[in-house]
Amino acid sequence: MSDLKKKYLKLIANAKDEADIESLRIQALGKKGEISLKMRELGKMKPDERKIAGPALNKMKDEISAAISAKKMALIDKAFDERLRAEWLDVTLPCRTVRHGSLHPVSQVREEVTAIFAEMGFSVAEGPQIETDWYNFDALNIPEHHSARAEMDTFYLKQFGQKNNPPRVLRTHTSPVQIRAMESFGAPLRVICPGRVYRADYDQTHTPMFHQVEGLALDVDISMANLKWVLEEFTKAYFEIEKIDLRFRASHFPFTEPSAEVDIRCSWEDGKLKLGEGDDWLEILGSGMVHPKVISAGGIDPDVYQGFAFGVGIDRIAMLKYGMPDLRAFFDSDLRWLRHYGFSYLDVPTLHGGLSRAV
Ligand code: PHE
């Protein structure tokens, strides 16, 4: 009997795979298996013999059965290990560039701007594109009947504005996110807010939907000088030029006091725009010191905190940097345009890695 056990234990130990072990199981323990037949022989034995042979046979059957189960588990584990080894995937390998998709210039510029301001300690805040007129206007010191409301060619949502239902607009600028960021994070605060904005306007440089990025910095001692430095650093990094010249031109926005529009020195030689030199000036953004009423509306004490804000047109600075003449083409979904002006989604813009590597 112990020969039989030895034989099977050896066969089990040498089994190569699950199929092997299954056929061994049948050979030993199946209906007509060697062990099963032996069990049947017990019936023919004399009671005395059976008393000894019975338990011994049962014990052997259990041992062989246990050895089969253990080997089966070991083989399953081994097969799984082998599969894991064979099917591994190196996620750090660069993939083949798929030429079909590319990043839209607006997405690219948004990433570039975010990378630059992140380096200066600004985080990104967002707000809804459908705004109440309180966030879009009142909180920004633009009361009802203020001319600025009319100037912005606002889209109103007609299902709002009745009783108990404050008027809602498609936000006309990213400035309402100033208020939302102040409410959410308090002061001191350093955020940029990129996003879509809407105005009823349509020509070569205006589309009803376009993009802005808002900047806001609040602290106890922030001044116009900080604004100028931040904007200089930003324009140098963004346009990737060493020398720039910015001009602050007095202006008016209800939500900043004083307010300044910022121009960048440029030249137009042979119809080609060059930034940083020349005798022309190109307006690039609006800015100023945040009005105390706006700081209050954001729930912050304007006697303690002060700071600057600015708003830049993302599409506009994209056109300037990448030489795209017509804003309307940005939103036509023309594949030829997208292929020409698109960016590789694998080149993530960073200040050290380079901002703008075109496809
Ligand atoms: N919100 C202004 C606009 O859309 C830009 C701006 C933002 C000006 C912040 C000053 C401060 O024109």
Side-chain angles (χ1 to χ4, degrees):
M1 204 185 292
S2 68
D3 282 351
L4 200 59
K5 179 172 145 186
K6 257 192 219 149
K7 169 181 142 186
Y8 275 107
L9 290 183
K10 195 167 167 210
L11 284 171
I12 292 167
N14 290 337
K16 295 260 164 332
D17 52 31
E18 270 188 86
D20 267 5
I21 208 84
E22 179 60 11
S23 66
L24 275 176
R25 190 189 64 78
I26 294 167
Q27 194 185 327
L29 306 169
K31 249 192 207 151
K32 289 182 187 151
E34 212 168 346
I35 311 269
S36 310
L37 290 177
K38 280 244 172 314
M39 301 285 278
R40 239 175 270 166
E41 282 171 15
L42 283 175
K44 294 179 207 148
M45 285 182 187
K46 292 190 197 113
D48 279 2
E49 284 172 350
R50 188 164 49 215
K51 235 186 194 166
I52 302 167
L57 201 56
N58 263 320
K59 190 167 167 251
M60 180 171 76
K61 185 185 156 201
D62 289 347
E63 278 171 1
I64 290 177
S65 172
I68 286 177
S69 303
K71 182 70 180 182
K72 191 171 168 185
M73 290 312 294
L75 285 171
I76 290 174
D77 279 355
K78 194 171 146 237
F80 189 61
D81 277 351
E82 271 164 16
R83 226 182 113 194
L84 284 180
R85 257 195 302 278
E87 292 180 8
W88 64 279
L89 176 72
D90 184 354
V91 292
T92 64
L93 275 179
C95 68
R96 255 174 282 140
T97 312
V98 182
R99 299 287 303 181
H100 296 304
S102 61
L103 217 57
H104 193 285
V106 169
S107 307
Q108 168 74 18
V109 168
R110 183 185 159 132
E111 293 299 315
E112 291 180 17
V113 171
T114 305
I116 297 166
F117 280 104
E119 203 88 353
M120 293 194 264
F122 285 73
S123 46
V124 172
E126 288 184 317
Q129 293 173 48
I130 296 176
E131 265 299 6
T132 60
D133 66 347
W134 190 80
Y135 279 106
N136 196 79
F137 295 123
D138 301 75
L140 293 166
N141 194 31
I142 312 175
E144 232 182 316
H145 309 304
H146 191 288
S147 58
R149 289 205 186 197
E151 275 162 27
M152 289 223 198
D153 302 309
T154 311
F155 287 113
Y156 283 86
L157 275 81
K158 69 167 182 252
Q159 54 271 64
F160 296 94
Q162 306 88 14
K163 260 191 304 185
N164 306 325
N165 216 345
R168 282 176 202 238
V169 300
L170 292 180
R171 68 179 178 197
T172 57
H173 49 182
T174 42
S175 300
V177 190
Q178 286 189 34
I179 306 294
R180 291 184 176 274
M182 285 188 244
E183 285 175 344
S184 302
F185 309 117
L189 182 61
R190 250 183 282 175
V191 286
I192 57 163
C193 327
R196 288 184 173 163
V197 300
Y198 302 83
R199 290 180 206 176
D201 217 347
Y202 190 70
D203 61 35
Q204 197 179 344
T205 51
H206 296 90
T207 49
M209 186 278 296
F210 59 106
H211 301 81
Q212 288 188 331
V213 56
E214 194 82 6
L216 172 66
L218 292 177
D219 211 327
V220 291
D221 53 2
I222 289 188
S223 73
M224 212 69 182
N226 300 120
L227 170 65
K228 183 149 196 264
W229 182 84
V230 163
L231 292 178
E232 276 168 1
E233 289 302 302
F234 165 67
T235 40
K236 267 196 283 189
Y238 174 73
F239 289 111
E240 299 177 63
I241 45 177
E242 287 292 315
K243 211 180 116 257
I244 53 119
D245 194 6
L246 294 185
R247 174 174 80 176
F248 277 51
R249 197 163 25 81
S251 182
H252 176 262
F253 299 103
F255 31 90
T256 45
E257 181 58 39
S259 302
E261 277 173 297
V262 177
D263 303 334
I264 183 166
R265 186 186 285 281
C266 70
S267 71
W268 288 99
E269 258 169 53
D270 309 319
K272 234 185 142 253
L273 174 66
K274 252 202 167 150
L275 296 172
E277 55 189 64
D279 299 320
D280 274 332
W281 294 94
L282 195 71
E283 185 194 321
I284 52 165
L285 60 92
S287 66
M289 295 300 288
V290 184
H291 197 292
K293 280 192 183 171
V294 174
I295 298 181
S296 287
I300 292 171
D301 185 351
D303 290 331
V304 180
Y305 288 101
Q306 59 180 38
F308 63 75
F310 58 85
V312 192
I314 292 183
D315 325 74
R316 181 166 164 73
I317 61 170
M319 289 168 83
L320 292 175
K321 181 168 176 181
Y322 296 111
M324 295 169 286
D326 194 324
L327 180 63
R328 290 167 296 196
F330 276 56
F331 310 116
D332 280 346
S333 303
D334 182 333
L335 281 177
R336 289 161 306 176
W337 189 90
L338 289 167
R339 275 187 205 117
H340 183 73
Y341 288 112
F343 291 82
S344 168
Y345 49 83
L346 295 173
D347 280 336
V348 178
T350 59
L351 285 184
H352 48 278
L355 285 179
S356 56
R357 274 173 288 164
V359 176

